Amino acid sequence: MSDNKDGEEVSRPWQSYHTVFTNAKAGMDGVDKEKVQKIVYEMSKGSKYFENEERKEMFIKQKIENMRAQCAKLTAMDISHHQTVADKKIVELEVTRDLSRTWLHVDMDAFYAAVETKENPSLIGKAMAVGGMSMISTANYEARKFGVRAAMPGFIARKLCPELIFVPVDFKKYTHYSELTRKVFHKYDPNFIAASLDEAYLDITDVCKARGISSEEIAGELRAGVFEETGLTCSAGVAPNRMIAKVCSDIKKPNGHFVLPNNRIAVMTFISSLPIRKIGGIGKVTEHILKDVLGISTCEEILHKSAYLCALFSHSSIDFFLSVGLGLGKTDTPQVRSRKSISSERTFSATGDEASLYNKIADIAESLSSDMQIEGLRGRTLTLKLKTASFEVRTRAVSLQKYIYSSEDILYHASKLLQAELPVSLRLIGLRMSHFNDDKPNLDPLQSTLTREKGLHGDAYRTCLFDADDEYDYEDRLKSEKSSYFEHNSEFAYINAGEIEKPHLIATKGCQDKGASPECSGHDSPSKQAGDLKRVDMDPTSVSGQSEATYLQRFENGANILHKKAALPSTEIDHSLWVDDYKCSLCGAELPPSFVEERQEHSDYHFAEMLQKEESPESCRVSIQRSSQKVPVTKKNGRKKQKTSLKDSKHIPIDLFFSKSNQNF
Ligand code: DCP
Ligand code: MG
């Protein structure tokens, strides 16, 4: 728990208990924060989740202390040197400022709740939440006044607001309304970027010009159009780039818009007093560290402390922070990128039964093969992902000399990989195929690395310290480690038998070269994503387990790699959700590893989806597929599963909720 004065910490421990549930969303300004914190604290206390939060907190505290010590060691000469580097970077970044485009970020107000209310007007004016006792997906603005918010377990929400009405999630409805909103967005920017069902980025530069009207008028018109089409309200933000547009759309929520003029002074003034936490990509941990180590609370203060940032962080992080300080963000429309991998995985109750594991891997091979055939793909790197009963995640990969796609070939190689791991008790098996036959050899440094491997090993089954795809990034990253005390706010990688499983620390491909810019957190629409396709099958017999896992903490004191056993932050437990460690395998949203809280929220979001699907009578086995479809979630093989009624689940222990969340990704 954090640094309250000792006396206070004993008597009011909840004051230092900050979780995602206590973080304010729009409409929660007047909430009695302490009351919420106390209830959340009391209802979580003693749970595995709580313990994990405490461990995370201690870990961050340690980081902060180390970073402070590192700062204290800086000499005047060091600081002057870092200042020169920082000033140069600022000049370079400033040159990239593009004020020629106008971006609009639109976000529906209390989306799921609003849809439910539209369909059932008796809910108007009543505090309601969409979801159930284990998790709520969102709450309307009436409920938010009580501190009820998305991603909160329903039983805590009910404690905060005893009158709270729960409405079950119905994705069909939200998808329908989402489609309607997109029809409207399309009129203003046919290439709009759908960030999620209820959110989109539109480049309105051309429409403003063509019609000779202001961005303010477009924002008003678009919102009115959405209301006309759907009967739902939305909020919008207009700014010269996407990062700021997103911040702006929250300012007048609900049912309003805010326009920031396209000039540098307006941007700098806006950004100057903006709390860093408002920026997508700066979550609880980053905020904590920047504040406690460097006293940075606002975006402007980032620029004041630029020398220290350069002393403490890696290049990509510095670029990101300085971009935030300058109010810079992406202004281009992302291009379609080609698919890099395709995968299929299955979660099930932990088992060590070999026959059963082989059956499962055969199923997965079949499913992967059929997906590959649909896409016309052949690949030659096969990666096996395993999650053990104790939540360790392992990957093993083989680079083949020929391209394969048939289920027999996949199964043959996958079985060999699996065999080397036996005996083992597993709760998840995944297979991923990459390096397709249309990949361009020799143009890609990754490819040449792989070729070297191949030369050495042929088809030998090797333990993959990191995915071949990531090798280049990894090496690049290692180079910067020496000077980088602390790259991202949550530097963890999984260990497996003492080895690095995968460089989760990588600034992310596709983001790295852009300096892990805030726009890497911009959620691209599935149709615009770098294409990875992943199928996740939830086995109806899945059971919950504990959230412990091992991780490797890296970069302590500059260069060393320390192995430690500890609980993972929940975001990291969900790491299998992130393809290539930055793209959400379910919806394609991009969130680099450093975006800890956003990732947690994001996985909570999908978890809510999955829980609802698990709980819904018609579907227990869920297949989720992300490709160029607009609707990323499809159901298959419906099987009945007991539904948790609100009555029955009056007292669901919080651990059940969290351990369930772990199993799902
Ligand atoms: N959602 C979810 N789980 C979360 C966050 C969101 O299931 N942890 C779902 C429900 C929301 C929808 O996504 O209705 C959109 O998310 P927003 O963050 O935009 O939240 P709302 O639209 O509900 O409210 P706001 O008015 O703050 O945008
Ligand atoms: Mg919304």
Side-chain angles (χ1 to χ4, degrees):
M1 301 279 96
S2 67
D3 276 328
N4 279 4
K5 285 180 207 105
D6 288 344
E8 267 182 24
E9 190 157 316
V10 176
S11 58
R12 300 174 134 190
W14 55 85
Q15 284 190 327
S16 53
Y17 186 59
H18 303 284
T19 79
V20 69
F21 315 134
T22 54
N23 187 31
K25 269 184 83 86
M28 294 176 75
D29 285 347
V31 171
D32 180 347
K33 216 176 161 190
E34 186 166 351
K35 186 182 162 205
V36 174
Q37 262 179 313
K38 191 171 175 220
I39 289 177
V40 171
Y41 174 82
E42 278 166 358
M43 296 197 76
S44 323
K45 201 165 179 253
S47 68
K48 286 254 184 298
Y49 173 78
F50 183 87
E51 286 167 15
N52 196 34
E53 287 291 300
E54 281 194 318
R55 276 190 288 254
K56 272 160 49 182
E57 185 77 23
M58 272 170 54
F59 177 77
I60 294 159
K61 255 182 149 175
Q62 184 62 49
K63 287 225 169 223
I64 288 170
E65 271 166 36
N66 292 344
M67 292 177 91
R68 279 182 176 155
Q70 205 191 357
C71 278
K73 279 193 212 142
L74 292 172
T75 63
M77 236 169 81
D78 291 335
I79 296 170
S80 151
H81 162 73
H82 290 302
Q83 192 62 62
T84 311
V85 174
D87 291 345
K88 190 167 168 259
K89 269 188 184 290
I90 289 172
V91 171
E92 283 166 10
L93 285 168
E94 186 59 57
V95 169
T96 68
R97 189 184 295 277
D98 176 7
L99 292 165
S100 67
R101 310 303 299 178
T102 303
W103 280 91
L104 182 147
H105 178 253
V106 54
D107 188 301
M108 302 302 291
D109 301 323
F111 184 50
Y112 294 3
V115 169
E116 296 299 341
T117 308
K118 166 98 198 323
E119 305 248 318
N120 175 5
S122 75
L123 293 168
I124 292 172
K126 295 178 187 154
M128 64 87 81
V130 176
M133 280 295 142
S134 44
M135 158 72 97
I136 60 175
S137 295
T138 195
N140 66 6
Y141 281 76
E142 284 82 355
R144 291 184 197 193
K145 290 179 196 149
F146 295 84
V148 174
R149 54 154 290 160
M152 183 179 263
F155 63 94
I156 294 185
R158 177 159 277 178
K159 180 88 180 170
L160 290 169
C161 174
E163 304 305 310
L164 190 66
I165 297 170
F166 288 85
V167 176
V169 173
D170 182 345
F171 288 101
K172 257 197 191 147
K173 278 188 209 152
Y174 316 140
T175 307
H176 166 73
Y177 280 93
S178 178
E179 297 275 328
L180 296 179
T181 64
R182 289 174 187 188
K183 259 170 53 185
V184 181
F185 303 159
H186 192 267
K187 290 184 200 158
Y188 296 89
D189 175 9
N191 301 315
F192 73 88
I193 303 167
S196 68
L197 280 185
D198 92 321
E199 208 187 334
Y201 293 89
L202 285 73
D203 182 345
I204 54 168
T205 320
D206 296 342
V207 72
C208 287
K209 268 192 202 138
R211 295 178 48 194
I213 59 175
S214 70
S215 55
E216 165 107 46
E217 286 169 294
I218 293 285
E221 192 186 295
L222 178 139
R223 293 200 310 107
V226 169
F227 187 75
E228 199 175 310
E229 191 69 38
T230 62
L232 305 174
T233 65
C234 63
S235 301
V238 176
N241 62 59
R242 294 200 291 274
M243 179 190 81
I244 309 184
K246 180 159 169 97
V247 178
C248 289
S249 70
D250 213 46
I251 293 176
K252 293 284 169 94
K253 235 177 199 312
N255 200 16
H257 60 257
F258 179 86
V259 177
L260 186 69
N262 272 34
N263 69 68
R264 188 180 179 279
I265 293 174
V267 171
M268 293 308 285
T269 309
F270 177 78
I271 211 86
S272 66
S273 56
L274 190 71
I276 48 174
R277 185 61 182 278
K278 295 277 178 195
I279 301 291
I282 300 192
K284 183 176 77 170
V285 179
T286 309
E287 181 190 36
H288 199 153
I289 286 170
L290 290 184
K291 200 168 176 189
D292 288 7
V293 178
L294 299 173
I296 295 173
S297 300
T298 66
C299 296
E300 189 177 45
E301 285 161 356
I302 288 178
L303 296 183
H304 298 162
K305 296 291 164 82
S306 56
Y308 289 91
L309 290 168
C310 283
L312 295 173
F313 293 93
S314 72
H315 295 299
S316 59
S317 299
I318 297 162
D319 284 350
F320 168 59
F321 290 135
L322 294 180
S323 297
V324 168
L326 292 167
L328 299 173
K330 283 279 177 284
T331 56
D332 58 319
T333 297
Q335 298 302 303
V336 176
R337 283 169 278 166
S338 63
R339 185 179 305 295
K340 288 277 186 227
S341 72
I342 184 162
S343 60
S344 178
E345 67 180 46
R346 219 169 138 189
T347 302
F348 42 84
S349 356
T351 176
D353 179 65
E354 293 181 14
S356 158
L357 293 177
Y358 277 113
N359 281 342
K360 289 180 196 308
I361 209 165
D363 272 2
I364 299 164
E366 183 81 50
S367 137
L368 179 62
S369 168
S370 94
D371 283 346
M372 288 182 74
Q373 287 176 56
I374 290 166
E375 299 255 330
L377 295 170
R378 286 154 192 255
R380 65 184 183 90
T381 296
L382 180 68
T383 304
L384 170 73
K385 183 172 91 181
L386 306 174
K387 192 183 280 183
T388 68
S390 56
F391 286 93
E392 271 180 45
V393 179
R394 303 177 186 176
T395 55
R396 300 288 183 260
V398 58
S399 303
L400 307 166
Q401 286 176 346
K402 61 169 191 165
Y403 292 98
I404 61 168
Y405 69 94
S406 72
S407 57
E408 293 78 18
D409 282 348
I410 294 173
L411 181 59
Y412 173 77
H413 294 289
S415 303
K416 282 196 165 187
L417 290 171
L418 177 65
Q419 203 165 12
E421 302 304 307
L422 298 174
V424 65
S425 179
L426 299 175
R427 59 176 66 249
L428 176 148
I429 299 178
L431 288 175
R432 173 177 173 232
M433 189 68 82
S434 54
H435 289 104
F436 300 129
N437 50 352
D438 60 349
D439 285 355
K440 310 269 179 302
N442 303 327
L443 292 179
D444 180 356
L446 307 177
Q447 194 68 27
S448 51
T449 312
L450 188 64
T451 310
R452 273 206 316 276
E453 285 284 351
K454 189 186 118 188
L456 286 172
H457 304 291
D459 280 357
Y461 290 82
R462 64 190 167 93
T463 296
C464 198
L465 290 187
F466 31 86
D467 283 0
D469 282 347
D470 294 328
E471 226 158 310
Y472 176 74
D473 291 336
Y474 181 65
E475 284 170 4
D476 193 39
R477 179 62 181 261
L478 280 180
K479 270 183 238 149
S480 63
E481 275 170 28
K482 293 214 171 63
S483 57
S484 146
Y485 171 79
F486 171 66
E487 174 87 22
H488 289 293
N489 54 25
S490 182
E491 295 280 17
F492 303 102
Y494 294 76
I495 53 171
N496 167 32
E499 291 163 339
I500 304 166
E501 185 225 326
K502 194 181 171 189
H504 294 273
L505 333 155
I506 287 168
T508 77
K509 214 176 287 178
C511 287
Q512 193 177 39
D513 54 348
K514 294 165 196 145
S517 80
E519 294 315 314
C520 290
S521 73
H523 313 275
D524 291 348
S525 66
S527 56
K528 294 185 180 189
Q529 282 298 305
D532 281 39
L533 178 125
K534 184 171 192 173
R535 179 186 293 282
V536 180
D537 287 335
M538 302 300 300
D539 191 314
T541 56
S542 291
V543 292
S544 57
Q546 67 168 45
S547 62
E548 300 280 319
T550 52
Y551 73 81
L552 171 71
Q553 179 205 341
R554 312 180 64 223
F555 310 134
E556 279 290 343
N557 300 323
N560 294 331
I561 296 177
L562 299 178
H563 294 251
K564 276 191 186 175
K565 273 216 160 202
L568 282 162
S570 41
T571 36
E572 301 297 328
I573 294 162
D574 297 341
H575 102 104
S576 55
L577 180 67
W578 302 96
V579 177
D580 287 340
D581 207 25
Y582 79 105
K583 275 178 301 192
C584 172
S585 56
L586 303 184
C587 70
E590 295 185 3
L591 279 173
S594 57
F595 295 8
V596 176
E597 198 183 8
E598 288 68 23
R599 277 193 168 201
Q600 179 167 337
E601 284 226 37
H602 191 85
S603 49
D604 285 344
Y605 172 99
H606 286 303
F607 174 52
E609 286 178 340
M610 289 207 180
L611 260 188
Q612 293 302 327
K613 286 185 186 301
E614 267 200 322
E615 286 175 6
S616 81
E618 82 276 19
S619 95
C620 289
R621 187 160 183 230
V622 184
S623 166
I624 290 163
Q625 183 169 331
R626 188 190 67 65
S627 62
S628 56
Q629 297 157 316
K630 275 196 172 171
V631 187
V633 180
T634 56
K635 298 172 183 179
K636 71 172 195 182
N637 293 1
R639 262 181 59 176
K640 286 222 169 188
K641 191 178 176 185
Q642 244 180 344
K643 191 171 172 172
T644 325
S645 84
L646 295 186
K647 260 196 215 151
D648 296 343
S649 51
K650 228 178 188 173
H651 188 70
I652 297 180
I654 195 164
D655 280 345
L656 178 64
F657 162 67
F658 288 105
S659 53
K660 262 189 119 178
S661 89
N662 298 338
Q663 97 196 341
N664 278 346
F665 296 109

